[in-house]
Amino acid sequence: MTEIAVSDFRHPRRYVRLDTILRLRWLAVLGQLAAIFIVVQGLEFDVEVVPCVTIVGLSALLNLVLQTGFNPMQRLEPAYAAALLALNIVELAGLLFFTGGLENPFSFLFLAPVLISATALPIRLTIALGVLAVACASVLVFFHLPLPWDSDDPLVLPPIYLFGVWLSIVVAIGVTSLYAFQVAEEARKLSDALAATELVLTREQHLTQLDGLAAAAAHELGTPLSTIFLISRELERALHDNSALAGDIKTLREQAQRCRDILAKITQLSSTGAPFDRMPLSALIEETVAPHRDFGVAIKVRIAVAGTPEPVGTRNPAILYGVGNILENAVDFARATVEVNAWWNTETVEIIISDDGPGIAPDMLKRIGEPYLSRRRSADEVQSERSGLGLGVFIARTLLERTGAKVSFSNRVFPDHGAVVHIVWPRSRFETPEPAAEPSS
């Protein structure tokens, strides 16, 4: 199986397209202009129009400069994207300063840039933007022009109400941004893990395609090599031993025969009826167990004798990798012993892998098999520097389930301790019929 670098999926670089930021900024410009127009013309409130329009105009001018000077489709570095979102916060704070500060109901728009950052940018930049938004909101509590309102009936809000508005903005920024970040992070992790799984499957698909290509090449080259072999043999007979070319013709015939033998071996290896293309359940278990026998952990294999013949299936790399990865995890966490039990009947084929390690923590038991999930081990439990991301278990479970297996995780019943992994296939999915023999030509 192909090796996947942890860094390729654990800490992916996050980029936001400039076009996305510009679209949001243009939407903000249009919304701000519409709000100013409605308040001035529709409600006929006294608004500081010139400063507000100046701020909106400068924002629009910056959008035009960015749109004409840079490729909108380019992906921004996280710091540059965060800088543009920070500018949105400062522009909003400037508009709110001239229109009532936190008394303005639009003050909750401080939340928008922070939410965008929480879904697309690293956590440190999101925290920085959240602090900036809270700081601007805090300044606006004490410094702002009066809220545009009817001069005959002025609106006076008590300080306790303004404090409640400030507090609600702070809480909304913290809680909503944290929730958005967690949802986006889970989506990113799942996407990265699925990408890793696809890499594994693509690797196996490429190997299968290469195997078929070798078989096709062997078939196509067989005919011309046979012709070369026959002609060289006839020439060798015609020239006799006293000819100066007899030795070269003999060498040509021998090399042609050697090429035919090599192609014959390739054809045998690529044939679906090759001996190692099909393997019984016991051979599959032995092949997955063998690489892990020399790590200081005893691996006990028990195969129950059933009244039905042992299931024999196609040698499937997905099954070998999936069972092997689960077995490797059992060996890593076991104290002394790992047990592999297998049995079958006419309906199902089952493999149970258990160890005598610490088991699976109760809070992780329902989540085991998700990507990037790992259990922290104490210093006494760690015997090597290996650290798990849960990605291997996720890939193994995905591959096994694609073969029709159902994979479940549990712990041994007290007083025993250790993890138990139960893998069950419908026998019809695990065991495929023997391919029909091809008629000889």
Side-chain angles (χ1 to χ4, degrees):
M1 303 297 292
T2 184
E3 294 294 333
I4 301 172
V6 169
S7 60
D8 292 341
F9 299 98
R10 182 61 169 174
H11 301 289
R13 298 293 300 275
R14 298 174 186 171
Y15 298 96
V16 180
R17 288 191 307 174
L18 177 59
D19 181 67
T20 302
I21 299 294
L22 289 177
R23 288 175 183 270
L24 295 173
R25 288 181 56 82
W26 279 120
L27 180 62
V29 167
L30 294 176
Q32 290 161 1
L33 287 176
I36 294 173
F37 178 81
I38 292 174
V39 171
V40 173
Q41 298 297 327
L43 302 178
E44 298 182 351
F45 288 163
D46 186 15
V47 179
E48 298 289 340
V49 177
V50 174
C52 292
V53 172
T54 301
I55 293 175
V56 176
L58 291 175
S59 178
L61 180 61
L62 177 61
N63 292 351
L64 288 175
V65 171
L66 293 175
Q67 196 157 15
T68 57
F70 300 91
N71 180 10
M73 293 298 106
Q74 73 176 5
R75 295 188 177 276
L76 296 175
E77 290 284 344
Y80 296 135
L84 290 176
L85 293 175
L87 187 58
N88 288 352
I89 294 175
V90 174
E91 292 169 353
L92 177 62
L95 290 172
L96 291 176
F97 172 80
F98 291 104
T99 56
L102 296 190
E103 296 177 2
N104 191 320
F106 289 100
S107 60
F108 278 91
L109 289 177
F110 277 125
L111 183 61
V114 184
L115 278 179
I116 295 171
S117 176
T119 59
L121 300 180
I123 183 64
R124 66 182 188 281
L125 296 177
T126 302
I127 293 175
L129 289 174
V131 171
L132 175 62
V134 171
C136 291
S138 301
V139 171
L140 290 173
V141 172
F142 304 100
F143 304 98
H144 61 84
L145 297 182
L147 178 71
W149 203 256
D150 187 359
S151 57
D152 296 333
D153 185 18
L155 178 66
V156 179
L157 298 176
I160 189 65
Y161 179 83
L162 294 179
F163 174 76
V165 173
W166 175 87
L167 183 61
S168 64
I169 292 175
V170 173
V171 173
I173 289 175
V175 175
T176 310
S177 299
L178 178 61
Y179 177 77
F181 175 80
Q182 289 180 339
V183 172
E185 188 69 10
E186 288 298 322
R188 278 191 289 265
K189 288 180 179 180
L190 182 60
S191 176
D192 295 337
L194 288 174
T197 304
E198 290 300 324
L199 283 180
V200 174
L201 295 177
T202 301
R203 165 75 172 176
E204 293 303 324
Q205 183 180 12
H206 286 172
L207 291 177
T208 302
Q209 293 173 348
L210 183 61
D211 187 58
L213 181 62
H219 177 75
E220 295 296 329
L221 292 174
T223 300
L225 279 175
S226 297
T227 303
I228 294 173
F229 175 78
L230 292 175
I231 293 176
S232 61
R233 186 174 61 181
E234 293 299 327
L235 287 174
E236 184 181 7
R237 291 176 181 175
L239 292 174
H240 303 292
D241 294 337
N242 56 359
S243 172
L245 298 177
D248 292 338
I249 295 299
K250 180 180 179 181
T251 301
L252 179 62
R253 177 183 59 80
E254 291 175 349
Q255 293 303 312
Q257 181 60 42
R258 182 181 176 188
C259 289
R260 293 178 67 192
D261 294 340
I262 293 174
L263 292 179
K265 291 180 180 179
I266 293 177
T267 303
Q268 291 176 0
L269 290 176
S270 301
S271 173
T272 56
F276 295 105
D277 276 352
R278 296 184 58 77
M279 57 195 320
L281 178 63
S282 56
L284 182 149
I285 292 176
E286 182 57 34
E287 183 168 340
T288 55
V289 167
H292 306 288
R293 289 193 181 277
D294 299 325
F295 290 94
V297 175
I299 301 178
K300 300 179 180 179
V301 179
R302 298 186 180 93
I303 299 178
V305 178
T308 58
E310 182 178 0
V312 178
T314 303
R315 189 179 188 277
N316 191 329
I319 295 178
L320 291 173
Y321 177 86
V323 176
N325 180 273
I326 292 174
L327 181 63
E328 180 181 358
N329 277 277
V331 172
D332 287 345
F333 286 92
R335 291 188 172 91
T337 306
V338 171
E339 296 183 2
V340 181
N341 299 313
W343 70 281
W344 62 87
N345 56 26
T346 57
E347 301 295 333
T348 60
V349 176
E350 300 188 20
I351 297 177
I352 301 175
I353 300 174
S354 59
D355 60 72
D356 60 352
I360 305 172
D363 60 320
M364 294 176 58
L365 196 56
K366 293 182 179 180
R367 300 177 56 204
I368 193 72
E370 294 181 4
Y372 303 105
L373 181 66
S374 62
R375 179 187 176 197
R376 297 186 180 273
R377 302 170 66 184
S378 64
D380 296 335
E381 292 174 331
V382 177
Q383 299 176 353
S384 65
E385 294 299 324
R386 303 183 59 163
S387 61
L389 293 178
L391 183 58
V393 175
F394 173 80
I395 294 175
R397 183 173 190 171
T398 301
L399 292 175
L400 288 172
E401 288 179 348
R402 287 195 176 190
T403 66
K406 181 180 179 182
V407 184
S408 59
F409 300 84
S410 61
N411 287 320
R412 287 183 168 180
V413 180
F414 185 81
D416 294 332
H417 51 81
V420 179
V421 182
H422 199 178
I423 309 170
V424 184
W425 288 270
R427 183 158 180 158
S428 59
R429 291 293 301 272
F430 180 88
E431 186 175 33
T432 56
E434 290 284 352
E438 296 181 358
S440 58
S441 55

